[in-house]
Amino acid sequence: MSAFTDELERRLDEIRAQGLLRELRRVESAQSTRIDVDGRTLLNFSSNDYLGLANHPALREAAIKAIEKFGAGSGSARLVCGSLAPHHELEETLAEFKQTESALSFSSGYATAVGTITALMGKEDVVVLDKLVHASIVDGARLSGAKLRIFSHNDPGELEDILKWADGRAPVPEGRRPRTLIVTESVFSMDGDRAPLKEIVSLKEKYGAWLMLDEAHATGYFGEGRRGLADELGVSGQIEIQMGTLGKALGSAGGYICGARALINILINRARSFIFSTAPVPAAAAAARAGVELVQSAEGKSRAEKLWATAGELKQKLGVNGWKFPAAGSAIIPLIIGEEGAAMGAAAELREAGIFVPAVRYPTVARGEARLRVTVTAGHEPADVAELVNKVTTGVRRN
Ligand SMILES: *Cc1c(COP(=O)(O)O)cnc(C)c1O
């Protein structure tokens, strides 16, 4: 045993020496703009709970009711005896919300990406990814065995070069046409910028590729219907595979795919992360459904409006102090620092000053591009923004 742990300690020392060691921080309170960490209450600018729904009374109540009727556990995988009414109700609500024929929920966004890409693509196919897509998409693409091609972040020109090449491949021996799947995010999780979605949609139509769009960071507050960026741009109907998470703006946990009924039926039959995993607990499904309903309500609209106003105000105030952001952004506001140690130091200083903002380092972002990842939520007040701006401008050195 000791030889084993000695080896692992050596590996941990290597991670530590590079300034890349990660540790858990125990939070003693519910998700909110204030969280209790290490015995102190900190102003929280780190959560993906964009609309402040994670501890909303409507979601709590839905979860409690589901527990009272269906219990704490779901008992088995969906395809055995775990396909409970709350899962079906959630999926009906998601399909209606996203205006698709059908929807399927998974236990996490990670399981959604991995299960869906591997269900659709095989070794004769090509998966084309934006350089900055989430790890779950990279892992799904690798696991599928398909040829992997990466285009520079948000670069439709490079994407077109890859699609041209992919289009020219010979048919596979069995006669099935080799398929090409483009996967991108609508809003990028660590940069907060948006994909050039209209261009990507025209390219995928031009070359007959399929498109999977991960709206993890846009669902709930983009567009008139708060369905996401595809809806805001009016291109949802042209996207074969619409993905999202239930654990961010929607306030619960899990992931989903919305699309044609045939797509959902293929996933039920082929997505291994769906088939070989216990169904999400009823409370999670019921809370997620309440989250989707809340997003569509007048309260959802006003929460989204407040979120946009807060994000705009923060960017404007930080911009005055020389920080730069993409013109069209989101609730994610990265403060790029560069060196890993410097970003860690800046996060520690902000924590000392009573503000919780995480430093994001390699491998989540590229080496030398470490940053403070600020996220705003509908719960933040102008005084919170002022406090963050004050502490950042006095304490954090710009790159
Ligand atoms: C968070 C995230 C996921 C994973 O979702 P989980 O529900 O947290 O597993 C997938 N894609 C993107 C872009 C994400 O930000």
Side-chain angles (χ1 to χ4, degrees):
M1 262 320 254
S2 84
F4 174 64
T5 54
D6 286 351
E7 165 70 22
L8 298 194
E9 289 298 348
R10 263 197 303 280
R11 294 185 192 181
L12 284 166
D13 287 341
E14 277 170 33
I15 299 171
R16 198 177 289 113
Q18 297 174 60
L20 296 177
L21 191 72
R22 296 168 180 233
E23 285 172 302
L24 295 173
R25 233 177 228 109
R26 178 165 166 156
V27 177
E28 301 278 0
S29 58
Q31 286 300 307
S32 167
T33 58
R34 303 288 186 292
I35 48 171
D36 297 341
V37 190
D38 302 331
R40 294 170 62 215
T41 300
L42 302 178
L43 176 54
N44 182 17
F45 278 100
S46 72
S47 179
N48 298 321
D49 178 25
Y50 299 120
L51 295 174
L53 301 190
N55 194 30
H56 190 287
L59 277 76
R60 292 170 59 115
E61 197 192 324
I64 291 165
K65 275 200 176 139
I67 289 174
E68 282 168 355
K69 177 149 186 213
F70 293 95
S74 52
S76 77
R78 291 285 298 278
L79 284 164
V80 184
C81 65
S83 199
L84 306 175
H87 302 121
H88 291 266
E89 286 165 0
L90 167 62
E91 288 158 358
E92 285 156 18
T93 304
L94 277 167
E96 237 170 78
F97 173 51
K98 289 287 210 168
Q99 303 175 323
T100 55
E101 259 179 20
S102 197
L104 191 67
S105 61
F106 290 71
S107 53
S108 70
Y110 186 93
T112 307
V114 169
T116 301
I117 298 170
T118 53
L120 295 171
M121 307 307 279
K123 65 178 184 344
E124 60 284 353
D125 301 312
V126 176
V127 177
V128 191
L129 308 179
D130 183 286
K131 178 123 192 338
L132 296 189
V133 293
H134 192 260
S136 57
I137 296 169
V138 176
D139 293 359
R142 284 187 182 148
L143 197 57
S144 75
K147 280 185 198 64
L148 199 55
R149 291 291 182 275
I150 313 285
F151 60 98
S152 297
H153 179 51
N154 283 347
D155 185 338
E158 238 177 72
L159 171 60
E160 179 156 24
D161 290 343
I162 295 170
L163 293 177
K164 256 185 212 152
W165 161 80
D167 197 37
R169 279 170 306 151
V172 285
E174 308 86 84
R176 177 166 90 67
R177 186 175 164 205
R179 291 292 165 192
T180 302
L181 174 70
I182 306 165
V183 194
T184 189
E185 291 170 33
S186 56
V187 167
F188 284 83
S189 59
M190 296 300 140
D191 293 72
D193 58 344
R194 306 174 185 187
L197 204 50
K198 283 191 164 167
E199 285 101 313
I200 292 175
V201 167
S202 352
L203 285 173
K204 75 111 196 159
E205 304 263 289
K206 182 171 171 191
Y207 292 95
W210 296 339
L211 177 60
M212 174 167 165
L213 182 69
D214 182 351
E215 296 244 41
H217 295 279
T219 305
Y221 69 105
F222 270 76
E224 196 63 35
R226 297 172 292 290
R227 297 183 187 95
L229 182 63
D231 187 50
E232 179 172 318
L233 299 177
V235 295
S236 322
Q238 291 158 275
I239 298 169
E240 285 81 5
I241 306 145
Q242 299 194 57
M243 173 190 160
T245 61
L246 302 167
K248 286 159 185 162
L250 296 175
S252 181
Y256 67 83
I257 295 289
C258 288
R261 186 155 293 116
L263 167 65
I264 300 312
N265 287 337
I266 282 287
L267 296 180
I268 292 170
N269 283 276
R270 289 280 183 269
R272 293 169 65 88
S273 64
F274 176 87
I275 299 168
F276 298 106
S277 190
T278 298
V281 295
R289 181 186 187 220
V292 178
E293 286 185 333
L294 203 137
V295 160
Q296 298 174 86
S297 71
E299 184 185 339
K301 182 169 196 278
S302 68
R303 281 178 179 257
E305 283 167 358
K306 184 163 175 227
L307 173 61
W308 280 114
T310 306
E313 188 186 336
L314 179 58
K315 281 201 287 192
Q316 188 269 329
K317 289 195 159 140
L318 288 171
V320 167
N321 289 287
W323 294 91
K324 292 204 169 44
F325 311 103
S330 65
I332 302 162
I333 299 170
L335 307 179
I336 310 286
I337 307 272
E339 202 263 316
E340 282 72 23
M344 293 302 284
E349 270 182 42
L350 284 176
R351 222 164 34 245
E352 272 309 298
I355 299 184
F356 192 74
V357 175
V360 179
R361 293 164 288 172
Y362 178 84
T364 308
V365 296
R367 282 185 202 274
E369 288 185 24
R371 64 200 62 186
L372 296 173
R373 178 181 182 266
V374 175
T375 50
V376 296
T377 72
H380 287 114
E381 298 300 335
D384 301 332
V385 169
E387 188 172 341
L388 175 65
V389 171
N390 176 24
K391 298 285 159 59
V392 165
T393 50
T394 55
V396 180
R397 214 157 355 104
R398 245 182 302 127
N399 183 12

